[in-house]
Every structure is written in C-alpha cells, then in structure tokens.
Amino acid sequence: MKNSQLQKINSAEPERYGSPASIADLTAYRCQLQCAEKEEKLQTSLEELEHLKSALDKTAIVAIANEKGIINYVNDKFCEISGYYKEELIGQNYNLLNSAYHPQEFFEDLWLTISSGKVWQGEIRDRKKNGSYYWVNTTIVPFLDENNKPWQYLSIQFEITKRKEAEIALIENLNRYQNLVNSSPEGVFITDSKGQFIEANKRWYEMTGISLEEAQKKGWASSIHPEDRGQVLADWYLAIWKKLPFYSCEYRLQSPEGEITSVFSRTLAEINANGKLVGYVGTITDISDRKQVEEKLRLNAWYDPLTGLPNRELFLQRVKSALSEANNFGKMFAVLFLDLNRFKVINDSLGHLVGDRLLCEVANRLNEVISKKEFVARLGADQFLILLEKVDSLNAVLQVANRIQKQLAQPLYLEENQIFTGASIGIVLCGSQKQAIQETGVNSAQKIGKNVENKTIFPHSVLPNPITYHEKPEEILRAAHTAMYRAKDLGGNSRYVIFNPQMHERAVALLNTENDLRRAVKTCEEFVLHYQPIISNETGKICGFEALVRWQHPTKGFISPGEFISLAEE
C-alpha cells in the first residue's frame, strides 16, 4: 500500500475509518501488509518447488551426498532403479553401486571436477542390488560454502539402460562372421565395445578349453590364468577407456583341466562408418615353445646350470639393490666370498663327475644353513657368494660364517668315497655413504674402500671398525675376494677374514711389484750382482763365492730380496 493511500485512510474519510491513526500505528500496519505479501510469495515459491520436485522425482534419480561421498538422501526413483531400500543406502558410500566397469582414472577425473566446484556430466554404469547393471546419464552439482568449498553434492540421473542396450543390439551382428576365420591357426574372438564376449572361432575354443556358452556366461577372461587375469583385464579396460585402436599383450591360458598355454594376444578396435567404436576383434597365438626357450635362456643368464643357484650377474643385481638400500635408509649388509679347500685335489683324483656332485652337495648345504634374508650364489668353479642383508651386528655375520664352516666340515659320501672339505671365507661389511659422512664428515666417494678409524657402530666388537664403504657391487666383490685370499694365505682348512683397506693396498702393491719385476727381467738393466766370499773353516781361505742378486728399482730404489724373490719363483 502506497503512502497516499495511507494518507486517505488517515484524514479523508474519518467517518469511515474512525479517529486519525498515529504514525506508529500506520507503520505497524504497513509492516503487517509487507509481511503478508512476502509470505504469499514464499508460499507460491514453495509450491512451485514442490511441483518441480514432484516432476523430478517421477522422471529422475536424485541423491544428495556429503563432501566425502556418503549418501544422506535418495528419492524413491533411486530405490526403484537400484533395488535398494532407503535404509540400505543412507550412510553408505557411492562405491556400493560400483559396477567395476569404469577404470580408476574415470572416478579420479570425476572427483577432481566436482571437488573443484565444477559440474560433472557423464554416463555411468552402476550395479543393482541383485547384481545386474544399469546405465545412467548423470549430472553432479556441487554446493559450495562461504569459502567456496563443496560441502555436499546433488546428483541427478536419468536411466539410459534401454538406449544402451539398443546401441549394443545394433552392433551385435556388424561384421561378426566376416571376421571369423575358422581355418586360421590363431584363435580369433570378438567382443562388444565393453569387452563382453560375443563369438570366437574353432581354434580359440580349442586353445582355451571352454565352450561358447561358458564364454558368454563367464566372459572370455575366464580362460586366462588366475595369476594373469587381473593385470590383463586392467590393461584391457584401460585400453578401452582410452579408446586405443590397437592393444597387445602376453598372458597364460588355463583350461578347465589345468593345462597351461602361453599366448600372444592382439586386439583391434572395430570402427563403423561414423567413426564410432563398435567392438573388438582379438587373436591369440600359441607361444608356449618360444616361452620355454626364453625361460631356458633366462635361467642360463641368471642361474648356474650345475647347482641351480643364482649366478654372478644375479648376485651383483642383488648387491646393487642392497647398496641402494644402504645409501637410502642406512641399512648395512655383508658379502661372504667362499672358496672350497682341496677341491682341485678331489676333482683331479676322483674325477670331474665327483667334483660336480661335490659342488651340488655344497650348494645344498649352503641353502640349508642360510635363512630367508640371506642370498647364496655360485660365482664359478669352487667359489660361492653369500649376501647378508640388513645386518645389525658383527656377531650375526660371524655366526653365519661359523655355521657355514661347521656345515662344510661334515664329511661327504660320494661314489663310496668319504670326502672332507672346508672353505676359506672373505667377509666384507658394507655401510652407506651417508654413514661415512656422519662418522667422518667426508664424502665416502672420496674414500672408497676406506674404513673409519676409531669409529664403529658395533660397540662390542674387539676389532677395529670393520665397515667399509663402496660405490659399486664389483668393488665389494673384489674386496671379498681379497679377504678370501688373505684367509688362504693364513693357512688352515677353515678360516675367515674380514676385509680391511690395507688388504687391497697390499694386493695392489704386490701386483705392481710383479709387473715391475716382469719389466725388469725383460730389460735385465735393474738387477745388480753382489758376490759374497765363502771362507773355509779349515783353512781360513776363500774357497768360493755366493752370487746374490739385488734389485735397484728406478723409482723405488733398493728392493729387498725378501719382497721379490717369492714372486720371481712363481
């Protein structure tokens, strides 16, 4: 009501309206009229919304979920289509309806869209309570709070199952039989665009061992080996989702009788005249013979053919992994280098057949004495390697060495011969570069093969710090080999020695001396003869001379005979 109208009420017709109204009364009256108008408009809006909701409920599947995807409202249409009661849906995650048709990336993209406050639209295949599936055209609208963050989501879906089934029906017979080549040596099969089995040729049924009815009921993937099925299906559906025109992989088939066949599978997408994907044509080729050859080559490449133990290359790979873990996590490990004693004598006297049997028996004994976290390999000839990962004490390493020595000390009975053997063992304890820097403040890359004086993480050890730091697995093997030969030099049938850098320095110095000696012998310019007279005890006169050779090295100066005579004799 306008102010002019209120003025008329106030003064123009006093006989009708009574005495003039006060300003306060008029203001209150005007407020009452405005409230009445607003209530009328609100009621009209609520009625319109109720009509819209009623119309939406009759045609659409409506649900509301919180920011975590937990359902807190569904309409009757939702229950009608899904087969669930409201009580079964409220408080549940949308995963309850997941049909496993869409890949994980599909839902990651969906959540990325709506969690950023954007509307998502797409088609989803859901699973009913009874296990059957239905398709819905879905729109998800996020509701945002004052911080522009979603606090709940409104999902409006329209069922499109019949349309989807009609689409499938239209493409079922398209190019089906023209692509089946029953005379092909390869198995050929056809699926629809979702990977559901349609038909196959005779060879495919022979290779898989299942019938058409079983394939249609259980799906073509039911013929895949259980250990391979999950990965194959994941790759398959990912290729479908990405709409890749071509897909290939290798996997194993397992027939109902348990027969296993390795196959190479190739799948080609079928595209109609409108450029739409209508299905897939797949082929499987028997590659069992090739796989057997590959497996044999793999075993030859990574395993010792005589003992069946891992070989040097595989051992180095494991050491490389242990070295990486040591550098990343500060874990220590140890490498043991074993060389059998008296093997050459046994091999030469009793023959190579007995020698081979001895090596196999030693391999068996080593496998018996080591634990699951220890790794044994054969280097070659009569030499074996053991990797001890995650070492926490020097005593634990020495216990393993003692167990090995005790096991190998037991007599062997081969070809009616009682054989005794033992092993010289070189041990390398390996730490990380990080530990080296923490203990010395120096990057261990500058001190490869160096150990830290007066520092040890084995506080109960009576030895100097036995831990060394290396960058390459080959360096560790070389150090263990050096320690093993030191054990042999010390003598005894069963002895172990822990590597220290001085051993390597001694070995290098010995090699350099040997090389210098060979050069000196060739030139004959560095040796000097000294004659020492021989005096007769009876006459006191010179009765002869003893010729003594001395080596005058051009850079090292005088070298004592004790340092080179033994090398010269070798």
Side-chain angles (χ1 to χ4, degrees):
M1 183 176 289
K2 297 181 180 179
N3 290 333
S4 59
Q5 294 175 316
L6 292 174
Q7 183 64 31
K8 289 180 180 179
I9 294 173
N10 188 42
S11 58
E13 302 178 280
E15 67 282 358
R16 180 178 176 183
Y17 296 101
S19 60
S22 66
I23 296 299
D25 292 339
L26 291 175
T27 301
Y29 184 71
R30 183 170 58 181
C31 290
Q32 291 176 2
L33 290 177
Q34 290 175 345
C35 289
E37 289 178 358
K38 290 180 180 179
E39 288 178 358
E40 183 178 355
K41 290 180 180 180
L42 178 60
Q43 184 62 35
T44 302
S45 298
L46 290 175
E47 289 176 358
E48 291 176 353
L49 287 175
E50 185 64 29
H51 292 321
L52 289 173
K53 180 180 181 300
S54 176
L56 196 60
D57 283 340
K58 291 179 181 179
T59 58
I61 303 168
V62 181
I64 298 177
N66 66 15
E67 75 280 3
K68 295 182 179 180
I70 304 300
I71 302 171
N72 51 40
Y73 170 81
V74 294
N75 67 350
D76 293 338
K77 192 72 173 179
F78 196 115
C79 298
E80 176 187 342
I81 298 299
S82 67
Y84 286 96
Y85 292 106
K86 287 187 178 181
E87 294 78 8
E88 296 174 315
L89 293 168
I90 301 301
Q92 296 295 321
N93 192 284
Y94 258 100
N95 290 334
L96 178 68
L97 304 171
N98 193 337
S99 65
Y101 173 79
H102 304 283
Q104 183 66 27
E105 292 84 349
F106 176 88
F107 294 104
E108 289 177 353
D109 178 70
L110 184 156
W111 274 102
L112 182 63
T113 300
I114 63 176
S115 62
S116 63
K118 299 177 182 178
V119 176
W120 183 90
Q121 291 180 317
E123 296 178 350
I124 302 177
R125 191 182 82 165
D126 285 335
R127 179 169 53 87
K128 295 184 179 182
K129 182 179 179 180
N130 62 10
S132 61
Y133 302 105
Y134 64 100
W135 281 87
V136 286
N137 192 329
T138 304
T139 300
I140 302 177
V141 181
F143 290 172
L144 307 181
D145 59 17
E146 63 276 6
N147 296 320
N148 210 29
K149 298 292 184 180
W151 64 277
Q152 72 175 11
Y153 302 99
L154 171 64
S155 170
I156 302 175
Q157 300 176 320
F158 295 92
E159 186 187 8
I160 57 172
T161 305
K162 291 183 178 180
R163 192 195 82 190
K164 282 290 184 178
E165 290 175 349
E167 291 175 358
I168 295 171
L170 288 175
I171 63 174
E172 277 184 341
N173 296 316
L174 183 63
N175 298 324
R176 178 184 299 179
Y177 296 105
Q178 66 182 10
N179 292 311
L180 288 177
V181 186
N182 284 310
S183 60
S184 172
E186 297 182 341
V188 182
F189 65 97
I190 297 177
T191 75
D192 61 22
S193 59
K194 298 189 293 294
Q196 302 299 319
F197 182 87
I198 297 176
E199 184 58 282
N201 68 346
K202 181 180 179 180
R203 178 59 177 156
W204 188 88
Y205 294 118
E206 291 174 349
M207 294 175 67
T208 61
I210 62 176
S211 65
L212 170 62
E213 292 74 17
E214 290 174 322
Q216 289 178 334
K217 182 178 180 181
K218 300 179 181 179
W220 64 272
S222 62
S223 62
I224 301 177
H225 193 286
E227 294 179 1
D228 300 343
R229 189 179 302 148
Q231 186 62 49
V232 172
L233 285 176
D235 293 343
W236 169 276
Y237 285 118
L238 182 61
I240 292 177
W241 180 64
K242 290 184 176 181
K243 299 181 180 179
L244 299 179
F246 182 79
Y247 170 70
S248 64
C249 67
E250 294 181 3
Y251 55 84
R252 293 169 296 170
L253 297 174
Q254 184 174 21
S255 69
E257 293 75 26
E259 182 180 354
I260 297 177
T261 305
S262 295
V263 297
F264 173 70
S265 175
R266 290 165 293 187
T267 306
L268 182 67
E270 283 192 294
I271 309 297
N272 65 12
N274 297 323
K276 186 176 181 178
L277 173 68
V278 295
Y280 289 88
V281 177
T283 63
I284 53 175
T285 305
D286 189 340
I287 57 171
S288 300
D289 292 341
R290 193 195 83 190
K291 280 294 184 181
Q292 291 177 359
V293 173
E294 290 178 354
E295 178 63 14
K296 186 175 181 180
L297 291 174
R298 186 187 71 84
L299 290 175
N300 289 338
W302 297 105
Y303 290 88
D304 173 47
L306 176 63
T307 63
L309 293 176
N311 62 11
R312 180 181 184 273
E313 295 303 320
L314 184 54
F315 186 83
L316 286 175
Q317 290 293 326
R318 288 291 296 267
V319 173
K320 184 178 181 180
S321 298
L323 193 57
S324 175
E325 187 169 348
N327 288 328
N328 292 332
F329 304 105
K331 302 293 184 181
M332 290 179 301
F333 64 96
V335 170
L336 280 64
F337 194 116
L338 282 70
D339 186 276
L340 297 183
N341 298 323
R342 303 181 62 253
F343 177 75
K344 187 177 186 305
V345 174
I346 297 170
N347 203 44
D348 292 344
S349 60
L350 300 179
H352 293 285
L353 181 61
V354 174
D356 288 347
R357 290 187 59 189
L358 172 62
L359 293 174
C360 292
E361 183 61 30
V362 169
N364 292 334
R365 291 193 174 188
L366 290 177
N367 275 324
E368 291 174 0
V369 79
I370 67 171
S371 64
K372 292 182 179 180
K373 66 178 182 179
E374 295 156 358
F375 186 77
V376 60
R378 183 189 176 204
L379 180 62
D382 59 344
Q383 296 177 336
F384 296 85
L385 300 165
I386 294 177
L387 171 64
L388 309 181
E389 298 184 83
K390 299 178 181 178
V391 172
D392 56 6
S393 71
L394 175 60
N395 186 53
V397 178
L398 300 183
Q399 284 180 355
V400 173
N402 287 324
R403 289 204 312 265
I404 292 171
Q405 297 286 28
K406 184 178 180 180
Q407 184 80 333
L408 295 182
Q410 301 300 317
L412 296 166
Y413 297 92
L414 303 173
E415 300 285 332
E416 299 181 353
N417 296 293
Q418 187 181 38
I419 299 174
F420 290 90
T421 187
S424 298
I425 305 176
I427 301 173
V428 179
L429 294 171
C430 303
S432 67
Q433 293 185 16
K434 182 178 180 181
Q435 289 172 326
I437 296 173
Q438 290 175 346
E439 294 178 1
T440 65
V442 180
N443 191 324
S444 64
Q446 302 170 2
K447 301 182 71 177
I448 297 302
K450 303 289 185 180
N451 61 349
V452 183
E453 296 297 334
N454 301 322
K455 294 277 189 177
T456 177
I457 63 170
F458 295 143
H460 302 295
S461 173
V462 297
L463 302 173
N465 179 26
I467 305 172
T468 54
Y469 309 98
H470 305 267
E471 286 187 331
K472 299 179 181 179
E474 291 80 5
E475 294 176 355
I476 298 173
L477 233 62
R478 182 189 65 193
H481 184 264
T482 300
M484 180 274 295
Y485 269 109
R486 179 58 178 163
K488 278 191 174 295
D489 290 343
L490 294 175
N493 190 44
S494 298
R495 183 184 290 272
Y496 57 77
V497 169
I498 300 174
F499 174 79
N500 64 66
Q502 287 71 33
M503 295 180 187
H504 176 64
E505 294 169 3
R506 179 176 178 274
V508 172
L510 194 63
L511 178 63
N512 291 335
T513 302
E514 181 180 339
N515 292 335
D516 290 345
L517 183 61
R518 290 181 184 276
R519 176 184 49 77
V521 169
K522 186 176 182 180
T523 61
C524 294
E525 295 179 353
E526 300 176 17
F527 296 105
V528 179
L529 283 176
H530 291 260
Y531 295 96
Q532 180 172 315
I534 301 174
I535 308 298
S536 172
N537 290 332
E538 296 177 356
T539 64
K541 296 181 179 180
I542 297 175
C543 61
F545 292 90
E546 180 182 12
L548 303 176
V549 66
R550 298 290 184 268
W551 183 7
Q552 188 66 37
H553 194 279
T555 59
K556 298 179 182 178
F558 175 75
I559 297 179
S560 168
E563 296 184 34
F564 71 87
I565 291 299
S566 60
L567 287 176
E569 291 175 347
E570 291 180 5

